[in-house]
Amino acid sequence: MDKIFKNVNFIKNSNKYMIVSLTIIAIGIIFLFINGFNLDIDFTGGTAIEANLGVDFTEQEIIDLVKEVTSKMPTVQKSGEDGKGVIINFTEIEEDTVISLKAKIKEKYEHSSDASTRTILATYGTELKKSVFIAITVAVIAMIIYISIRFSKLGGLSSAITAIVGLVHNVLIMISVYIIFRIPINSAFIAAILTIIGYSINDTIILYDRIRENREDRAANKKQTLEELVNNTIKQVLKRTVNTTVTSAVTVAILLGFSIYFSQKTLVEFTFPLLIGLISGTYASICIATPLWYRWQTKNKKG
Amino acid sequence: MKSRNVLNIIIGIVFSLLIVTFTLIGMYDTKGKTQIISSAQDIKTGLDISGGISAVYKPDIEGNVSDEDMAKAKNIIRKRLDNKNLFDANVKVDLNNGWVEVEIPDETNPDEALSNLGQTAKLEFRDPDGNVIVDGSNIISAKEQQIQSEMGTYQEVVSLNFNEEGRQKFSQATENLVGRSISIYLDDALISAPVVNEPITTGNAVISMGSSDLTEAKKEATELASLIDSGALPFGLSVVSSQYIGPTVGSKALDISIKAALIGTILVMIYMICIYKLPGVVSSISLVTYIGIVLLLLSNMGITLTLPGIAGIILSIGMAVDANIVIFERIKEELMLGKSIQKSVNLGFKNATSSIVDANITTAIAAVALYVFGIGTVKGFGIVLLIGVIISMITAIFFTRFMLKNFSAIFNKNVKLYGGKANG
C-alpha cells in the first residue's frame, strides 16, 4: 500500500481530483435538465397502487382499466423480476376510487397479489421536505460548531468548513448518481444520504485528528513544510482509511449483490447509491477536504 | 500476573457469550414464564418490512390544537381500534406537527380497518324544533344488539345507556314529545327519526339500523356502536397520508438484509484477522458483542426497525470496525517504532481514543438532530444511528481495550501476532 502511494503528492494533485468530482457533478446537472428528479410521491404527494398481476400485460390495458373507474390520468410502470408487476401513480385521487380500482384489478387479473397502496397528501410531502432540510441544517451547524472548537488548533472554522465542503461534495455526487440512473427519490433516498453524511464526517475527522496530532509533534520535525506534513499524514492514515472503506463497502456490496440477485428493486435502489457514497466519502476526505484545508491555511499565512 | 489476565479474558468471553445468548433467545424469569429480556426476534419491524397499514391524520381545524385535545383524540382512536379487535395497532400523537399517526401491522384489510377511524362521530338527539336534547357526552356506553320486535321480526339496533343527566333530560323530553319524532343526527347527518310512543325513563334508547339485510345491518350497528362508544372526537380528522403495504414485499427484503449482514460480518472478521492477527481476533469478539448489544437495546427499548434503520445499523457496524482499525493501526506504528508490545497497545489506545471520540460524537450530533427534527423514516434512522454510535464507542473504548490489554499481557513476545513485522 505504502509503495503504491509513496510518490503521490495529494496536495499538488488536488486540482486533478477536484476536476474529476466536478465532472461527475456536471454530468449529474446535465442529466437533471434531461430527466429531472424522479420524485416519488413521498415528496410530491399522490397515490401509488402496486401489485403483481401474475400475467403479462400492456400499459394500455391498465390505462383502459383505470378509465373504467375514473377520469384521472395515471402513470403506469412495469416492475418486478418477471415484468408482471405494475405500479400505477396518480397525482390526486379519492379513497373510494382507490378501492374500486383495487377491486377491478382483482376482478380482471385473478391471480394478482394483494395490491399495496400508498396515499400521501401533498402537504405531507412538503412537511417531509421541510423536516429533512431543518434536520440536516441543524446537524450541519452543530457539527461545524463542534469541529471548530475541537480543532481550533487546526484553524477552527477553516477545518469545520472544509470538512463540510467534503460532505457537500459526497451528497452532490450521490444525488448525481440518483439523477443519472433515474432512481426514485423517496424516504429511502433520505436515509441513504443521511447514512453517508454520518459516515463521511467520521472519515474526515479521523484525518484531521491525525493532522492535529502531527502538527503538535512538529516541534520535533521543524524541517517539514505544511505540505509535507499533510501528505505524510494522509499516507499514514491511508491504510486505515482503505481498510475501513473495504470493510464497510464489502458489507454494502454484498447486500447490493443479494438484492440484484433476488430482484429486490427497493433494496438495489437503496444500496447502490450508498456504495457510491461510501467510496466517494473516502475519496473526498483525502483528495478534496484535506487539500482544501491546506489551501485555506497557506492562503491565510501568505496573505 | 498472567493468571489474572487469563481470568479477565475468560470473564470477557463469558460476557460476550451471555450477550449473544440473550440476543438469540432472550431471558425468562426463574419460572420460565415471563420474559425479562427480549431477544432479537422480538424486535418490532416497521411496516415496510412486516406489511400493514399506516395512516396519518390531521385535525380539520385552523390554528393550533391543544395538547389535551390531541391526547383525547388519541384515546378515542385507540378505543375505536380496540373495538375493531385491532389490538396490535399503534396510535401516536406527534405534537410538533399536530398529527395523529396510526399503524396497524400485519393487517390485510385496510379499508375496513381504517373506515370511520377519523370520523368525528358527534351524536345528537334533537327535538322537532331542532333543539338538542342529549348528545354523545350523555352516553355512557353503546353496543350492538339484536332485538325481536313485537311482530316477531329481528332487528339490528345500537343500544345506548345514558348517564344520570342524560336519563333525566331524555325522560323529560320523551314525556313532552309523545306522538312526535326525535331526530338522531350523526355528524349533522340524520340517521334515524323514531316516533316517541311513550316516555322513556330507563335511560336506555335504541337506534335501529335502516338496512333490511340483517348481516349488513349488524355490521352497521357494530360500527356505529363503536363510534358512539368511543366518544366524539374534539375535531374532525382528515387523512394526510395512508399506506397499505403487502406483507410479502418487505419480509423478503428483511431476509436478504439479514443474510447479507451475516455474510458481510463474517467476511469482515476474516479480513480483520488476516491483517491484524491477534487484535483481529479480539475485534471479532468485540464486533459480535457489539451487534448483540445493539440488537438487545433495539428489542428491549421497543424501537421499530425499518429498512432505513437497517442501513443505520450497517453504517454503525462499519464505524465500529473503523474504531478498531484506527486503534490497531496505531498499535502497529508504535510497534514499528520499536516499543514493547504492551506499551504499544497502551499507547495505541491512548492516541486513538481522541480521534474515535471526536468522530463518533460528530456523528452522534447529526443523529440527534435527525431524531429531533426528522419525521417518519428520518426519525427512526436517527435513533438507530445514535444507539449504534454510542455503543460502538463504548465497546471499542472499554471492551476491546480490556480484552486486548489482557491478551497482550499474555502474548507479549511475538510482534507478528499484532500485525507488526519482526524487527530485524
Side-chain angles (χ1 to χ4, degrees):
Chain A
M1 193 70 58
D2 290 330
K3 292 182 197 142
I4 306 176
F5 288 101
K6 198 172 197 172
N7 296 318
V8 176
N9 187 329
F10 289 98
I11 303 291
K12 286 239 157 61
N13 288 328
S14 57
N15 280 332
K16 290 192 204 149
Y17 305 141
M18 278 194 241
I19 292 178
V20 170
S21 298
L22 287 172
T23 314
I24 300 180
I25 297 177
I27 297 180
I29 296 181
I30 295 176
F31 268 80
L32 182 60
F33 283 112
I34 302 178
N35 281 337
F37 283 119
N38 188 352
L39 282 180
D40 187 69
I41 60 170
D42 271 349
F43 287 110
T44 57
T47 305
I49 303 177
E50 202 171 325
N52 189 304
L53 300 177
V55 291
D56 288 313
F57 64 95
T58 63
E59 273 112 357
Q60 189 57 43
E61 272 174 43
I62 304 293
I63 295 185
D64 290 336
L65 186 143
V66 169
K67 281 219 189 95
E68 291 177 38
V69 179
T70 173
S71 55
K72 303 260 165 104
M73 264 307 284
T75 42
V76 180
Q77 262 179 298
K78 285 204 184 180
S79 78
E81 58 194 81
D82 51 7
K84 299 185 180 152
V86 68
I87 305 179
I88 312 174
N89 271 314
F90 294 90
T91 38
E92 231 185 85
I93 188 177
E94 300 80 38
E95 189 63 29
D96 312 322
T97 322
V98 173
I99 299 178
S100 329
L101 210 48
K102 278 165 67 174
K104 260 247 144 67
I105 293 178
K106 199 77 198 201
E107 201 188 295
K108 179 156 184 194
Y109 301 96
E110 301 161 331
H111 302 292
S112 64
S113 64
D114 273 335
S116 287
T117 56
R118 286 169 56 217
T119 303
I120 314 277
L121 216 62
T123 48
Y124 181 81
T126 328
E127 292 280 345
L128 192 62
K129 271 190 255 188
K130 224 171 58 176
S131 76
V132 169
F133 274 127
I134 296 178
I136 293 185
T137 310
V138 171
V140 167
I141 294 179
M143 286 197 280
I144 289 182
I145 297 177
Y146 182 77
I147 298 176
S148 299
I149 299 177
R150 287 291 288 168
F151 290 94
S152 51
K153 298 204 185 110
L154 282 192
L157 200 61
S158 63
S159 55
I161 303 238
T162 46
I164 299 293
V165 167
L167 204 113
V168 169
H169 161 276
N170 295 331
V171 173
L172 285 177
I173 298 256
M174 273 184 82
I175 295 182
S176 303
V177 167
Y178 273 90
I179 296 176
I180 297 174
F181 292 92
R182 287 225 89 212
I183 303 177
I185 297 194
N186 55 18
S187 308
F189 160 81
I190 300 176
I193 299 280
L194 297 176
T195 308
I196 294 307
I197 288 180
Y199 184 84
S200 50
I201 205 74
N202 201 46
D203 218 39
T204 314
I205 297 223
I206 301 257
L207 196 51
Y208 282 6
D209 187 83
R210 213 46 199 288
I211 296 179
R212 172 177 65 184
E213 201 191 299
N214 285 349
R215 255 226 152 135
E216 279 165 15
D217 286 347
R218 216 173 155 213
N221 317 352
K222 282 207 178 96
K223 287 191 274 180
Q224 252 183 353
T225 62
L226 189 60
E227 181 175 332
E228 283 170 3
L229 179 87
V230 173
N231 269 331
N232 285 336
T233 310
I234 292 180
K235 285 174 199 166
Q236 276 176 338
V237 180
L238 201 58
K239 241 193 237 175
R240 167 256 156 209
T241 305
V242 168
N243 281 340
T244 302
T245 311
V246 166
T247 46
S248 307
V250 157
T251 325
V252 175
I254 293 179
L255 188 54
L256 180 61
F258 271 55
S259 315
I260 296 178
Y261 182 70
F262 288 101
S263 301
Q264 286 287 316
K265 189 165 86 99
T266 18
L267 268 185
V268 171
E269 288 168 354
F270 182 59
T271 45
F272 176 61
L274 209 60
L275 193 58
I276 303 284
L278 281 178
I279 299 175
S280 151
T282 311
Y283 172 77
S285 294
I286 297 178
C287 306
I288 309 280
T290 311
L292 219 64
W293 172 82
Y294 168 78
R295 287 212 186 162
W296 185 313
Q297 293 298 99
T298 45
K299 191 182 79 179
N300 284 340
K301 281 203 178 122
K302 284 180 187 159
Chain B
M1 189 59 153
K2 291 217 177 161
S3 51
R4 172 94 174 276
N5 299 120
V6 174
L7 183 63
N8 282 341
I9 293 179
I10 294 180
I11 293 177
I13 295 187
V14 166
F15 175 72
S16 298
L17 285 176
L18 266 179
I19 297 280
V20 171
T21 316
F22 288 153
T23 308
L24 291 175
I25 60 177
M27 181 169 96
Y28 294 80
D29 72 1
T30 42
K31 296 198 186 112
K33 284 214 179 127
T34 355
Q35 196 173 19
I36 305 183
I37 299 182
S38 315
S39 75
Q41 295 174 40
D42 299 317
I43 293 182
K44 280 206 305 212
T45 47
L47 288 187
D48 50 357
I49 297 177
S50 61
I53 306 162
S54 110
V56 175
Y57 295 93
K58 205 172 172 112
D60 260 341
I61 47 185
E62 299 290 321
N64 286 329
V65 181
S66 72
D67 289 355
E68 259 174 29
D69 277 346
M70 290 300 276
K72 247 200 218 171
K74 175 180 166 182
N75 288 333
I76 293 175
I77 295 186
R78 170 87 258 166
K79 201 143 194 253
R80 290 182 185 175
L81 288 167
D82 286 342
N83 285 342
K84 293 190 197 214
N85 290 329
L86 296 170
F87 301 110
D88 268 343
N90 217 339
V91 188
K92 270 193 307 206
V93 166
D94 184 337
L95 290 170
N96 279 340
N97 290 301
W99 289 337
V100 180
E101 297 173 10
V102 175
E103 268 187 19
I104 312 176
D106 303 325
E107 177 58 38
T108 45
N109 211 329
D111 309 318
E112 255 188 50
L114 290 181
S115 73
N116 299 328
L117 206 57
Q119 196 173 347
T120 318
K122 185 175 70 160
L123 189 72
E124 283 175 344
F125 285 68
R126 300 182 194 166
D127 69 12
D129 299 321
N131 301 318
V132 177
I133 308 169
V134 286
D135 65 23
S137 63
N138 297 114
I139 298 181
I140 305 179
S141 68
K143 57 178 205 268
E144 167 264 340
Q145 228 181 358
Q146 206 177 68
I147 57 176
Q148 202 171 16
S149 70
E150 306 103 30
M151 288 164 281
T153 54
Y154 286 97
Q155 225 188 4
E156 280 287 344
V157 300
V158 173
S159 147
L160 305 170
N161 264 333
F162 291 118
N163 59 13
E164 185 52 35
E165 181 193 340
R167 190 190 68 79
Q168 281 177 359
K169 284 192 182 155
F170 200 62
S171 166
Q172 196 161 41
T174 45
E175 237 182 74
N176 297 336
L177 293 171
V178 175
R180 304 180 70 188
S181 63
I182 291 187
S183 309
I184 307 178
Y185 285 82
L186 182 70
D187 287 328
D188 296 319
L190 183 66
I191 57 174
S192 186
V195 173
V196 181
N197 291 326
E198 55 184 4
I200 300 175
T201 54
T202 54
N204 286 339
V206 293
I207 306 177
S208 41
M209 297 295 104
S211 190
S212 47
D213 175 348
L214 223 51
T215 352
E216 191 61 39
K218 179 164 185 164
K219 211 167 115 190
E220 278 174 29
T222 319
E223 253 181 40
L224 185 57
S226 156
L227 275 183
I228 300 175
D229 190 63
S230 61
L233 285 171
F235 33 68
L237 289 176
S238 55
V239 176
V240 169
S241 84
S242 85
Q243 295 187 38
Y244 164 60
I245 301 185
T248 48
V249 172
S251 61
K252 186 127 193 235
L254 179 64
D255 238 9
I256 296 177
S257 300
I258 295 180
K259 286 205 181 95
L262 269 172
I263 297 186
T265 310
I266 294 179
L267 281 180
V268 165
M269 293 203 280
I270 296 178
Y271 185 74
M272 291 290 275
I273 296 180
C274 285
I275 300 199
Y276 298 109
K277 316 240 183 335
L278 182 60
V281 172
V282 172
S283 76
S284 300
I285 302 177
S286 262
L287 189 59
V288 170
T289 315
Y290 165 75
I291 297 178
I293 297 181
V294 169
L295 290 179
L296 278 177
L297 277 177
L298 288 180
S299 173
N300 286 286
M301 284 171 73
I303 295 175
T304 310
L305 189 65
T306 58
L307 282 176
I310 294 182
I313 296 181
I314 294 182
L315 169 66
S316 56
I317 291 181
M319 286 172 58
V321 176
D322 182 37
N324 287 323
I325 293 180
V326 171
I327 297 169
F328 297 164
E329 283 294 331
R330 280 321 282 269
I331 294 179
K332 270 167 80 169
E333 281 176 35
E334 301 292 340
L335 283 175
M336 291 220 291
L337 291 178
K339 301 189 185 146
S340 75
I341 289 182
Q342 275 187 279
K343 209 142 187 231
S344 301
V345 168
N346 285 336
L347 276 174
F349 272 101
K350 195 160 145 230
N351 289 329
T353 303
S354 78
S355 61
I356 294 175
V357 167
D358 273 333
N360 279 7
I361 289 189
T362 317
T363 313
I365 291 177
V368 168
L370 295 178
Y371 176 65
V372 169
F373 293 97
I375 53 176
T377 25
V378 177
K379 210 182 181 81
F381 179 83
I383 188 75
V384 172
L385 186 61
L386 187 62
I387 292 179
V389 162
I390 294 178
I391 301 297
S392 95
M393 254 202 297
I394 296 178
T395 319
I397 297 178
F398 293 112
F399 187 72
T400 314
R401 180 163 71 166
F402 174 77
M403 294 294 276
L404 196 53
K405 271 196 173 161
N406 283 290
F407 265 103
S408 66
I410 302 177
F411 299 97
N412 58 3
K413 298 272 166 33
N414 190 347
V415 175
K416 278 215 199 139
L417 271 183
Y418 294 80
K421 301 191 168 47
N423 279 331

